[in-house]
Amino acid sequence: MTTSSIIGAVLLGAVAFTSFGSEFGGKPSKADKAAYAKSGHYQDGEFVNLVPTSVSTGGNMLGMLWKFLFKKAPNVAPPGPLPTLPLDSLSITRKTPELLRVTWFGHSASLVEIAGQNLLFDPMLSVEMGPVTWLTPNRYNPALAIRPEQLPTIAAVMISHDHYDHLDYKTIRLLKDKVGKFFVPLGIGPHLRAWGVAPERIQEMNWGEQAQLPGLTITCTPSRHFSGRGLTNRNSTLWSSWVVQSPAKRVFYSGDGGYGPHFASIGATYGPFDLALMECGQYNADWAQIHMMPEQSVQAAVDVKARVMLPVHWGAFTEAFHPWNEPVERASAEAMRQHLPLATPRLGEPVTLGAGPLPTTAWWRQ
């Protein structure tokens, strides 16, 4: 009865929040849903993957929730804050068209400077996650390399999907007036509009659709995942990966998702890539179709024809049962086996592609 009561209280609280809380986001209109139905990836009111995909491939969802909340495995969090290099916002304002530079803030939040433009991927730049902070994991570090309000003008923000660790209400509210465009998968527009983002700054995209920025082509590409910010809107928005192309450079961001044939297809169509930001962390055998094991992350980078891989989706939050630094250890070993260059910067450490050795120090062991 105690277990049932606790889980019941959590679920009731979640239902209450998703009915009334601002962080839940907006709801699509009938016209929105009619447009989604024409996407080719929308069935019976939900978006679907290219291949059959199960969120849970083993175990019971309530049982996994109980385990996550009350039975922590050893070493799932570091013993203290992770080493971080404070970012000088002035350095980002120096536009260098030929520069390709990436700065990883932890988890999947990354700043890419390409063709003189500042692009932000999944900018979850808050210390606390979601509306119920006692239920969701907090960030390992009490502060980030830079605060959202310190960032310079951002040409575009790209969102991969609407989960709280990728689409953060507080960050969007702080950034919205300095962002030129928000490129998002279908269905995320209502969330942004509900949070005060001007509709003309939002471009919702289906897989395969492209958008233009000065000197850049942005392409929304598939991933193998799921979506939803509450108990009643599972798969109500699309999920994606992203391709960024300039005349001289190409970048791929995987978003979240399980391994699948879409990576080879993306590599054949848009590769090779100078850099691939690849999901690598928060995995488990019980959700093996919606998140990749580290070895699969490396193989996916090979599939998209990446010249350099930077593992993301780790180093900030504990959302699975594996040791916090296991993803990068396993990915490093597999990348070495496959002869794939792997960049492992510290949080906030800018990495300039093609300008000397990549950062490869195993700082997570120290």
Side-chain angles (χ1 to χ4, degrees), residues 7-143:
I7 292 176
V10 169
L11 295 179
L12 285 174
V15 170
F17 166 76
T18 56
S19 297
F20 305 106
S22 297
E23 292 212 25
F24 182 61
K27 294 182 179 180
S29 65
K30 288 184 179 180
D32 289 331
K33 292 181 179 179
Y36 306 159
K38 299 176 182 178
S39 69
H41 312 295
Y42 194 72
Q43 299 174 6
D44 301 321
E46 293 187 356
F47 286 98
V48 296
N49 284 289
L50 293 175
V51 295
T53 300
S54 174
V55 172
S56 176
T57 53
N60 177 278
M61 290 299 290
L62 290 181
M64 286 191 287
L65 175 62
W66 174 263
K67 180 181 177 181
F68 182 78
L69 290 174
F70 302 109
K71 294 186 178 181
K72 296 294 185 184
N75 302 319
V76 294
L82 302 182
T84 302
L85 273 67
L87 181 62
D88 177 9
S89 61
L90 292 177
S91 66
I92 306 171
T93 64
R94 301 190 184 106
K95 305 291 187 183
T96 308
E98 65 275 11
L99 176 76
L100 174 56
R101 182 166 58 187
V102 58
T103 305
W104 174 58
F105 300 113
H107 206 58
S108 294
S110 306
L111 170 71
V112 171
E113 299 166 73
I114 180 173
Q117 309 278 339
N118 297 323
L119 309 180
L120 268 176
F121 291 95
D122 285 353
M124 200 300 175
L125 302 178
S126 296
V127 174
E128 296 181 329
M129 183 195 304
V132 188
T133 55
W134 59 269
L135 180 62
T136 53
N138 286 342
R139 207 174 201 98
Y140 300 148
N141 287 20

Side-chain angles (χ1 to χ4, degrees), residues 121-122 158-161 183-185 205-209 218-225 238-244 251-257 262-263 266 270 277-278 304:
F121 291 95
D122 285 353
M158 270 82 85
I159 302 295
S160 66
H161 63 295
F183 297 120
V184 299
M205 300 171 66
N206 191 14
W207 294 335
E209 290 186 341
I218 311 294
T219 307
C220 181
T221 46
S223 66
R224 188 185 183 192
H225 202 49
L238 189 60
W239 44 92
S240 73
S241 55
W242 291 99
V243 168
V244 178
V251 175
F252 175 71
Y253 168 48
S254 69
D256 278 8
H262 58 286
F263 289 115
I266 291 169
Y270 304 103
L277 304 167
M278 300 298 302
V304 300

Side-chain angles (χ1 to χ4, degrees), residues 162-180:
D162 71 356
H163 287 158
Y164 290 101
D165 57 333
H166 294 261
L167 178 61
D168 180 52
Y169 166 78
K170 293 180 284 292
T171 301
I172 298 299
R173 292 284 294 176
L174 290 169
L175 282 177
K176 63 184 180 67
D177 295 328
K178 64 173 65 179
V179 175

